[in-house]
Amino acid sequence: MATAKLNNLRVLVTRPADRSAEFAAALTEAGAAVSLQPLLDIAPLSSPEHSEAMQKSRSLLMNLDSYQQIIFISVNAVHYGLDQIDQYWPQWPLGIQVYAIGAATAAALAERDIAVHHSAQAMNSESLLACADLQHISHSKILIIRGVGGREHLAEQLRQRGAAVDYAECYQRCKPDIDGGQLRSLLLQHSINIVALNSGETLAHFSDLMGEAALTYPVLVPSDRVADLARAQGYQTVIQADNAGTAASLVALKRYAESNPSIHH
């Protein structure tokens, strides 16, 4: 068992419902009180507005063997992407290098018996782009499997290096059914003094729901980029982890707790 170090922290975990268990358990083991309220839901593409994305993804995945590299952006990309790929490829095509962003994504691929290239330790787009195998990719065809929308940085950088990059968008991110009043009540009821926000999109939704009151809550964020977004919005206390993984998040929270022994909100 981990030594209790986060006893004064009351953390709101806002990850999608099926992605919060490991982090919540680790927080509890470290002594924190944990409340769960997803601020982002993940769903398959089903509505008419996504018919074009669905058709495009189907066409790209049917021609999977035309790509030299495939990048899975998240655990959700693995689950929804491989469910579609399995329809067209009972056996994984040979000769494709598979990359994962984040240890959890790499583990999800391993569970499905997909070998991840040795850049599996890449925890974000920036660290993946630093991988030696992706430096000289002129004339390569790369497929990025992700949800609808999202950052363009990875594809832009790969294209600058001479690669042809396509997106297969296999799921969507939705706002859950909660309003600002309900969220404020939850924060007060549980005396929350840390809000864990796992992405820029989750940060934006928290800010929209809470208004000015959001800025008084210390927020845990997973990267320089999201930290910069939070500071630009006026958040008073931004706790920055090295990445979105559980271990990095705990390190950042322990550092914060040690430097703020009388934490309250």
Side-chain angles (χ1 to χ4, degrees):
M1 295 286 288
T3 303
K5 297 180 180 178
L6 305 182
N7 301 67
N8 293 330
L9 299 190
R10 297 176 296 280
V11 184
L12 182 69
V13 175
T14 64
R15 299 180 182 195
D18 62 348
R19 297 289 305 128
S20 62
E22 180 196 355
F23 184 40
L27 286 169
T28 300
E29 185 180 4
V34 179
S35 301
L36 303 178
Q37 175 52 62
L39 292 183
L40 203 63
D41 286 336
I42 304 297
L45 302 186
S46 55
S47 59
E49 68 180 292
H50 293 126
S51 59
E52 185 177 337
M54 292 165 65
Q55 291 172 5
K56 179 184 177 185
S57 294
R58 187 180 303 118
S59 175
L60 294 174
L61 295 176
M62 288 177 70
N63 293 285
L64 200 66
D65 58 346
S66 68
Y67 293 94
Q68 285 76 52
Q69 291 96 3
I70 299 176
I71 299 170
F72 288 86
I73 221 80
S74 65
V75 172
N76 293 309
V78 174
H79 291 330
Y80 289 97
L82 287 185
D83 283 351
Q84 292 188 36
I85 289 169
D86 286 347
Q87 298 176 36
Y88 313 118
W89 296 94
Q91 289 185 308
W92 189 260
L94 298 174
I96 301 176
Q97 294 179 340
V98 178
Y99 297 85
I101 294 184
T105 307
L109 284 164
E111 288 174 7
R112 301 282 289 264
D113 295 322
I114 304 297
V116 180
H117 211 57
H118 63 72
S119 66
Q121 298 308 309
M123 293 301 291
N124 53 38
S125 296
E126 288 73 16
S127 56
L128 182 65
L129 286 165
C131 172
D133 298 310
L134 292 177
Q135 302 310 306
H136 306 289
I137 51 173
S138 182
H139 308 303
S140 283
K141 286 187 68 179
I142 300 176
L143 183 64
I144 296 176
I145 298 182
R146 69 172 190 173
V148 172
R151 294 180 69 196
E152 299 296 324
H153 178 70
L154 178 59
E156 288 171 353
Q157 293 298 310
L158 294 171
R159 287 173 181 142
Q160 286 183 16
R161 298 174 187 182
V165 182
D166 293 317
Y167 288 122
E169 296 180 322
C170 299
Y171 61 94
Q172 60 181 315
R173 292 173 290 272
C174 315
K175 292 181 179 180
D177 186 18
I178 183 172
D179 62 33
Q182 291 170 316
L183 182 57
R184 283 189 286 273
S185 294
L186 185 154
L187 291 166
L188 292 171
Q189 177 186 347
H190 296 282
S191 302
I192 297 298
N193 57 17
I194 299 282
V195 179
L197 301 169
N198 212 42
S199 66
E201 194 170 359
T202 310
L203 170 70
H205 193 205
F206 180 69
S207 300
D208 289 344
L209 286 171
M210 292 292 294
E212 288 292 315
L215 306 180
T216 67
Y217 281 89
V219 292
L220 171 69
V221 299
S223 66
D224 289 340
R225 183 182 66 86
V226 183
D228 289 343
L229 289 171
R231 293 188 185 103
Q233 289 182 34
Y235 278 84
Q236 297 170 17
T237 304
V238 179
I239 306 161
Q240 182 182 331
D242 289 339
N243 55 63
T246 294
S249 298
L250 288 179
V251 167
L253 287 175
K254 287 172 181 173
R255 189 184 307 124
Y256 171 75
E258 288 164 1
S259 59
N260 296 273
S262 57
I263 297 167
H264 64 281
H265 188 274

